[in-house]
Amino acid sequence: MPWERLNERIESCRNCPRLVEWRERVGQEKRASFRDWEYWARPVPNFGDSKATKLIVGLAPAAHGANRTGRMFTGDRSGDWLYRALNRAGLANQPTSDDTADGLRLKGVLITAIAHCAPPGNKPLPSEIENCRPFLAELLATQSWRAVLCLGSLSWKELFRTLGRRPPAKFAHGVEAQVEGLGVCLASFHPSQQNTFTGKLTEAMLDEVVARFAAI
């Protein structure tokens, strides 16, 4: 598949010196609870169904999550929330995502991010997002999409910046818009610990948006 060839280029990218240094240093120093892991410590490729017609756009890999496991939203609490919601909506065969050998399969869905390397403080610089933008642009062009779900306001803005368009609506949790070439675009608060611990995002809120996304 074209996006699998794209993944090969993503995995070998070294365009952002700050991110290369950080992701590799994290992979060497590790977190104590993961000291026996061999960290992925490279750009994290797109993950999902090769026949996907639905796309989820996240922010960036977590240092000890996807940067450790090598799979989007795998091995951290944001992923716990996302995959539980996808499973309840019938888009994933299981509610957990621990490592690449856990048997997780997505149904009709592909997951990407606006930045493919783990950034310090979970905040990629604008220049680093810009360096990753061609990967997103190419992914959007690889096949026909029926629906896109953006996790977080930055992903929502960057999706339309990649398309060279203004967002059709201001970001808000649950916002939905019909977009030529992409089908229905939806937005959700990101399932980050900052949002879930404070109650800004509840599982019911995430389930409602993901259910709409699944129904398209």
Side-chain angles (χ1 to χ4, degrees):
M1 296 296 291
W3 66 266
E4 291 173 334
R5 292 192 291 273
L6 173 61
N7 274 352
E8 294 177 1
R9 298 202 304 280
I10 290 171
E11 291 176 22
S12 62
C13 181
R14 299 181 67 86
N15 286 341
C16 301
R18 185 183 80 116
L19 298 187
V20 171
E21 190 278 332
W22 171 255
R23 77 193 189 207
E24 293 180 356
R25 177 153 58 92
V26 168
Q28 289 295 319
E29 295 176 354
K30 305 181 181 181
R31 179 176 285 172
S33 55
F34 301 126
R35 62 182 176 275
D36 295 329
W37 275 79
E38 181 178 349
Y39 275 52
W40 172 259
R42 301 199 296 276
V44 179
N46 304 308
F47 165 66
D49 188 343
S50 62
K51 299 179 180 179
T53 58
K54 295 180 173 68
L55 181 66
I56 296 175
V57 183
L59 175 58
H64 301 283
N67 186 59
R68 170 174 58 89
T69 63
R71 192 171 72 190
M72 288 286 180
F73 282 99
T74 298
D76 60 40
R77 290 179 178 173
S78 294
D80 293 342
W81 276 63
L82 178 61
Y83 288 116
R84 283 198 300 267
L86 292 177
N87 176 252
R88 287 190 287 262
L91 298 177
N93 68 328
Q94 62 187 46
T96 56
S97 180
D98 301 316
D99 59 65
T100 56
D102 62 10
L104 175 66
R105 297 290 182 271
L106 302 187
K107 303 173 184 178
V109 175
L110 187 69
I111 301 179
T112 190
I114 60 173
H116 286 269
C117 290
N122 294 320
K123 294 181 179 180
L125 299 176
S127 61
E128 293 162 349
I129 294 174
E130 184 175 350
N131 284 344
C132 255
R133 191 171 296 136
F135 294 141
L136 180 57
E138 186 172 340
L139 180 63
L140 293 174
T142 57
Q143 56 205 78
S144 298
W145 302 101
R146 294 181 182 174
V148 179
L149 172 60
C150 294
L151 301 177
S153 60
L154 193 54
S155 296
W156 178 257
K157 293 174 184 176
E158 287 300 323
L159 172 69
F160 293 102
R161 183 170 287 145
T162 301
L163 295 170
R165 308 179 194 177
R166 296 186 64 179
K170 184 178 180 181
F171 174 83
H173 179 79
V175 71
E176 179 178 321
Q178 186 75 35
V179 177
E180 183 179 356
L182 291 183
V184 178
C185 291
L186 302 98
S188 169
F189 291 140
H190 193 285
S192 64
Q193 290 189 50
Q194 181 179 359
N195 288 337
T196 58
F197 281 8
T198 61
K200 182 176 182 179
L201 179 67
T202 65
E203 293 209 54
M205 291 168 63
L206 183 59
D207 282 349
E208 191 276 330
V209 174
V210 171
R212 278 196 278 141
F213 176 65
I216 297 167

